[in-house]
Amino acid sequence: MVESTKIRLDFRKSLGSFTLAVDCTLETKVSAFLGVSGSGKSTLLNCVSGTLTPDEGEIAFGDEILYASASKINVPPEKRRFGYVFQEGYLFPHLTVAQNIRYGQPNPRKSSDAVDVLEISELLQRYPNELSGGQRQRVAIARALAMEPRMLLMDEPLAALDSALKDRIIPYLHHVKEVFEIPILYITHAFSEAMTLADEAFLIADGEIVASGEPHRLLTAPSAMPIAQLTGVENILFLPVTASDKARGLTVLEIGNQSLMIPYIDIKIGEVVPVAIRAEDIIISLEPNLSISARNVLPGKIRNLDVKNDRTWVSILVERHHLAVKITHEAREQLQLREGLAVYCVIKASAINLMWD
Amino acid sequence: MRITPAEIAALSLSIKVALFSLVIMFPPGLLVGWLLAKRTFPGKAFLNTLVMCPLVLPPIVSGYVLLILFGRHGFIGGFIYQIFGIEIVFSQVAVIIAVSIISFPLLVRGIVTGMESVPLELENAARTLGASPLKVFWTITFPLAYRGIVGGTILGFSKSLGEFGATIMVAGNIPDKTQTMALAIFSAVHLGEDASVYRLVFISTVVAFIALWLTERFTLR
């Protein structure tokens, strides 16, 4: 594999009262920026593409400086040669698919590999308004690739599609990643996309990078805060499926030597799925044998108690997984919770959500 | 219905002047329309006001301003007289100037409306695909603003055909020279030539109707 070009992003951009300030170096093939809407992801991508000019700082692609406030360098977007795939596609409505693809092609007479990779050769004579959402996005990706870019910028290319379509497009993205030897900068609010595609992920919140690292590790890090900031969900676990029963409406996941029941999902046994549990949806019990409707009672040990203004955060170790639990101060006092205490985590099956996005 | 040579002269002058004015004003109209629709710059509100002024001023007032400017002792007219020895006012050139100034706001409004409807994101997408701002203009902005541009062009053209106030101020009402359709109707009414009035009114109505109908056809899907 060709070594990836280092991309240096160190700049600041204010839009009204919002400020984006980043300082990072992208060294892997696919870098994902994860964040909720309004976190500054799109601003970041627009600054990299050159359609938005930062207030100050520097952007460099390898040795080439694209923007530098100090030396007043600002390479216009048409000279940067970065393929940009937009969430909404932004195909030119008055041009056919073929004309859209040719628009940025250095040699318009040559047919582009992108057409084959994205399997759109049958759509070439159509106009964008004659395409389905998934086809449109494939054409948008092909158009960005046909210009033979030095880097691919992807702004939530799947966000406008429903989940069935997403699953159909993701293999194309993998294909693109393998066939085209260029770095990809991918922004998304969906874990699953970042997980499956990215080599490195950056969590972005309120215009700042709050954490970075290999996506899987990043999302399962004991410090739940970045993830909580991103989604409002404190606990994300990656667990294998051990059984699935459509009639009973349950799927069973394995968490260490314990089982975790979740509402039925149509998935193969053995597959690892990401699940999310909110900290306030976990009940702490001192007894295992309760007569309650909740299906999951997991034994664990309190690692840490953190008394915040209105709530107590309890970190519980369950089979090598850390669970963050949010309870009232009153509950903490009544149960006399302390570090090292053996407790049970009670979780309703319906409180466990699949993190497909 | 028998149309007299004088009436034909008035009609053909109106059409000729409207076409000329369109050809002359279209390029600056595109430029000003693009500036107003797509750019932010100091003095934008002032430029907009200046261009739109003839739309709200009484045409007589616009005509009077032009008369002052283009007269033999005027700021522009004096200059032209000294260099070329040509007098602008009360000539066919004055008619063209008058209708151009009056119809320009309608042309520009149409172009601005058309260009504003082209999303900036599409233009940015074209930039990222390697297109210079000029290429973006001709391949994306212009074709997508087409309806608005056609609409503005036809409305401006219709306005030129029927312009009265500014024309009579700066070009007079000289039969066979500066007498347009509107001025011919005015004269005919004054002279009590009812038959001529009816014919001219009929022709004007038909021309205006066709222009408006064409606008609708091009601007509505």
Side-chain angles (χ1 to χ4, degrees), chain A residues 78 86 90 92 94 103-104 147, chain B residues 121-122 127-129 131 133 139:
Chain A
E78 63 268 26
F86 301 87
Y90 291 131
F92 305 131
H94 59 305
Y103 193 87
M147 68 176 285
Chain B
E121 289 81 1
L122 282 182
R127 290 287 296 278
T128 65
L129 288 165
T139 57

Side-chain angles (χ1 to χ4, degrees), chain B residues 152-219:
Chain B
T153 302
I154 296 178
L155 273 181
F157 181 75
S158 318
K159 181 76 189 169
S160 299
L161 277 180
E163 212 296 314
F164 177 82
T167 311
I168 201 163
M169 281 303 276
V170 74
N173 185 2
I174 309 161
D176 273 339
K177 192 179 174 197
T178 65
Q179 190 175 65
T180 59
M181 279 289 280
L183 298 179
I185 294 173
F186 178 75
S187 293
V189 170
H190 255 242
L191 298 171
E193 293 169 351
D194 287 348
S196 182
V197 172
Y198 295 149
R199 282 195 295 274
L200 291 167
V201 166
F202 178 74
I203 293 165
S204 300
T205 310
V206 168
V207 172
F209 187 88
I210 291 172
L212 211 58
W213 176 72
L214 281 177
T215 315
E216 293 297 312
R217 274 209 53 184
F218 275 108
T219 49

Side-chain angles (χ1 to χ4, degrees), chain A residues 49 51 76-79 81-84 86 89-95 100 103-105 143-144 147, chain B residues 119-133 135-141 143-144 221:
Chain A
S49 75
T51 51
E78 63 268 26
K79 299 261 167 64
R81 289 213 299 120
F82 290 167
Y84 199 148
F86 301 87
Y90 291 131
L91 297 179
F92 305 131
H94 59 305
L95 303 179
N100 264 282
Y103 193 87
Q105 232 176 297
R143 180 178 72 174
M147 68 176 285
Chain B
L120 177 66
E121 289 81 1
L122 282 182
E123 294 163 332
N124 277 341
R127 290 287 296 278
T128 65
L129 288 165
S132 66
K135 185 181 173 191
V136 173
F137 179 84
W138 287 117
T139 57
I140 307 295
T141 315
L144 288 174
R221 252 172 216 280

